[in-house]
Amino acid sequence: MPDEDGYFGADVAAAYDESSADMFRPEAVHPAVDVLAELAGGGRALEFGVGTGRLALPLAARGVPVHGVDLSRAMLDRLRAKPGGDGVGVTVGDFATTRVDGVFALAYLVFNTINNLTTQDAQVDCFRNAARHLEPGGRFVIEVGVPALRLLPPGQSAVPFHISDTRWAFDTYDVVTQAMSSNYVTVVDGHATHRSIPFRYVWPAELDLMARLAGLRPCARWEGWSRAPFTAESTGHVSVWEKPAE
């Protein structure tokens, strides 16, 4: 069961950077920061689900004022303890509804974090919350995977995404409700522990409709931060919506 920090309590926060090490590599971070800094255009940036600051810290180091919202105090404590952490403003709260002061040129959600909102209503609220924070002409960016349902043969509901001698990880899907979960089995000294985190998967076209409901219009969709074209074979996407100028 989750604690007061949701599914990202002190034990998860302590190992988060190491367990997601590939996402902290420069080749993963720098292209994302390049795009976000360009979209911010010298204005303020708001990160929903800021976590331990994987992108917020290098973006702030580029001179972009960054404010982060996260439900997990443990993750935010990790962010604050890092070099430059005191330069990123933070607010504890649910990013679907939490308001912070001021307006922003950019709001963004990365690394599948939109899926942490486990109902369609909450995901719609997130778009509306982003739109409320954006200045006219501001952009909202989401990085998220395409649901891997094409990999499911009839009768199967799980797709593995990591297998090693000490760690197994797999996603499960409910194609009726769009509920999914990421499951992790870790073996230490011959003893296995299991952790499961619930999500709700969402389709690109569904995100576009959520954006429309929030008064945002499509601006760009790429396969990733390199801005390669999004195709039918893409396993993920970076999508950008714009708040129309008044």
Side-chain angles (χ1 to χ4, degrees), residues 16-17 24 45-59 66-72 75-80 82 85 88-93 95 108-111 113:
Y16 181 80
D17 291 12
F24 282 81
L46 176 64
E47 181 170 355
F48 289 157
V50 67
T52 64
R54 181 178 70 93
L55 296 186
L57 290 171
L59 186 59
V66 181
H67 193 99
V69 178
D70 205 289
L71 189 63
S72 171
M75 297 285 271
L76 294 177
D77 287 344
R78 291 278 166 173
L79 185 159
R80 293 189 186 101
K82 293 180 178 180
V88 175
V90 296
T91 298
V92 178
F95 59 74
Y108 63 96
L109 252 177
V110 297
F111 200 15
T113 305

Side-chain angles (χ1 to χ4, degrees), residues 102-158:
V103 295
F104 296 81
L106 174 70
Y108 63 96
L109 252 177
V110 297
F111 200 15
N112 299 319
T113 305
I114 185 66
N115 294 341
N116 285 85
L117 301 174
T118 56
T119 67
Q120 188 180 67
D121 284 345
Q123 291 172 344
V124 170
D125 286 344
C126 177
F127 272 82
R128 288 175 171 153
N129 198 29
R132 285 192 293 265
H133 282 94
L134 290 175
E135 62 190 27
R139 310 288 178 81
F140 183 37
V141 180
I142 286 181
E143 176 196 22
V144 66
V146 176
L149 302 191
R150 292 171 65 185
L151 301 178
L152 291 175
Q156 181 175 316
S157 61

Side-chain angles (χ1 to χ4, degrees), residues 39 139-142 217-222 238-242:
L39 292 174
R139 310 288 178 81
F140 183 37
V141 180
I142 286 181
R217 61 190 181 195
C219 185
R221 174 164 290 135
W222 309 300
V238 173
S239 294
V240 186
W241 300 271
E242 183 177 53

